[in-house]
Amino acid sequence: MQRQRRIATEEAFATPEQLEALADRIAAGDDSADAPFWGMMAGSANPFAQRVKRQLLDLDDERLAIMDAEGVDMHVLALTSPGVQMFAPDRAAAMARDSNDRLAELVARHPRRFAGLATIAPQDPEAAALEVERAMGKLGLNGVMINSHTNDEYLDEEKYLPIFEAAAASGAPIYLHPRAPSRGMAGPYLKYGLETAMWGYGAETGLHAVRLIMSGVFDRFPGLRLVLGHMGEGLPFWQWRLDYMFASGSNRPKLELLPGEYMRRNMAITTSGMNWDKALAFCIEAVGIDNIMWAIDYPYQTTPEAVEFMDRAPLSDEDRTKIYAGNAERIFNIAPLADELEMERA
Ligand code: MN
């Protein structure tokens, strides 16, 4: 039997400039809820921070060795959260273009090992829209990642519409990745460090996704695809109640479909950092086998755990192949292996 192709779809990297700029923000007294994490990362002594920074900056060496050791064919890479979204607009847009150029160059060097999601700076929506078009056109990348709020604003605000227009026109799936809650939301999360991946990231990003559904963006762009990590940031579990309360409430926006119907038509979820059979089984029922992709969340979570989870999940071979590779090939426009082999022979 042919070995299972494994495409990991939420894998992070960093550029030295990004890590420096994040450390600069912390040194300048940043008061966002992302500051505790990036303050820890900027500190020199913490062994977790040292390892993660090393693995974020590495692309060709340790990363490929770990992928080889665990039988991971491909990382779909994106600049680590919060991307360039904490920086001044001009600097952020320039850093995004530079990061996307380097990502495209890396993918060209290792076309079967890496695909890439572009970084954009929503701080300047018009420039961000142009960068979406450039990334999907000239650079040939596979989608866009946006790390939830930007300066405490959510993408359902009217001014961000050009980004969705560009994504819809160029067929770019938008991966809505977590960061810590916005300032308006963060207060109660800061005690016990709950602003982190333990709870706050999912609460922030789940809220953001529900706001996007409510904004009608999926009526405006019926072909738009939003990808959520971490088994859907809680949305699959809330689907029934979202639909029920949406339909029975009096102060709801007018939409063509129910929230759950947009989830199945316009969204996909990944297993990043949530290596749990029971959640997977539920999500297959809730959003459908064709809307779920495998992910590791490298280097924040470990590759062997994610591989072991998906290898052992109680699935048919056909369903496992969809989650490990087939759905990612379709959603992120990644050439199937059979096509690659054809291309090599030609
Ligand atoms: Mn991640």
Side-chain angles (χ1 to χ4, degrees), residues 58-126:
D58 159 73
L59 288 159
D60 299 78
D61 299 321
E62 185 181 2
R63 183 182 302 258
L64 283 171
I66 291 172
M67 290 166 68
D68 289 343
E70 302 299 330
V72 177
D73 294 86
M74 181 178 271
H75 275 188
V76 179
L77 293 168
L79 193 68
T80 196
S81 178
V84 298
Q85 290 166 240
M86 285 173 75
F87 312 138
D90 287 356
R91 188 183 186 194
M95 207 183 282
R97 286 192 296 271
D98 174 64
S99 163
N100 295 336
D101 286 343
R102 283 196 247 176
L103 183 53
E105 193 182 289
L106 177 80
V107 171
R109 204 158 64 230
H110 302 286
R112 274 178 297 180
R113 309 312 303 276
F114 297 124
L117 304 181
T119 294
I120 57 172
Q123 296 92 314
D124 181 345
E126 299 292 341

Side-chain angles (χ1 to χ4, degrees), residues 187-333:
Y189 288 84
L190 295 171
K191 196 174 179 184
Y192 312 116
L194 293 179
E195 78 282 4
T196 59
M198 181 174 159
W199 186 250
Y201 284 18
E204 155 74 19
T205 314
L207 167 71
H208 199 157
V210 174
R211 283 184 63 132
L212 283 173
I213 293 172
M214 291 299 131
S215 76
V217 74
F218 300 118
D219 289 342
R220 209 153 173 169
F221 306 108
L224 187 68
R225 173 79 77 165
L226 195 78
V227 182
L228 296 174
H230 316 98
M231 291 289 186
E233 312 292 5
L235 264 67
F237 188 82
W238 281 97
Q239 183 176 313
W240 190 91
R241 194 158 165 81
L242 279 167
D243 286 354
Y244 183 92
M245 290 298 169
F246 176 78
S248 61
S250 57
N251 57 345
R252 310 288 191 255
K254 281 227 175 327
L255 298 177
E256 289 170 13
L257 303 176
L258 290 169
E261 293 175 313
Y262 293 109
M263 285 167 63
R264 289 185 296 278
R265 187 187 74 177
N266 294 97
M267 295 191 178
I269 68 172
T270 78
T271 64
S272 56
M274 178 73 104
N275 300 314
W276 190 23
D277 282 354
K278 288 182 171 66
L280 176 65
F282 175 77
C283 284
I284 291 170
E285 290 293 319
V287 306
I289 187 71
D290 294 322
N291 290 326
I292 304 177
M293 298 180 278
W294 181 66
I296 303 164
D297 216 348
Y298 181 91
Y300 297 101
Q301 290 189 232
T302 75
T303 304
E305 273 176 352
V307 170
E308 190 176 331
F309 158 61
M310 193 50 60
D311 280 355
R312 290 188 183 180
L315 298 168
S316 68
D317 287 349
E318 189 191 352
D319 285 356
R320 197 182 326 275
T321 296
K322 283 183 175 185
I323 294 177
Y324 251 145
N327 293 336
E329 289 166 355
R330 187 184 79 254
I331 290 166
F332 290 126
N333 193 26

Side-chain angles (χ1 to χ4, degrees), residues 25-43:
R25 287 284 309 176
I26 299 307
D30 180 82
D31 67 345
S32 76
D34 288 288
F37 180 79
W38 288 102
M40 179 276 291
M41 289 287 277

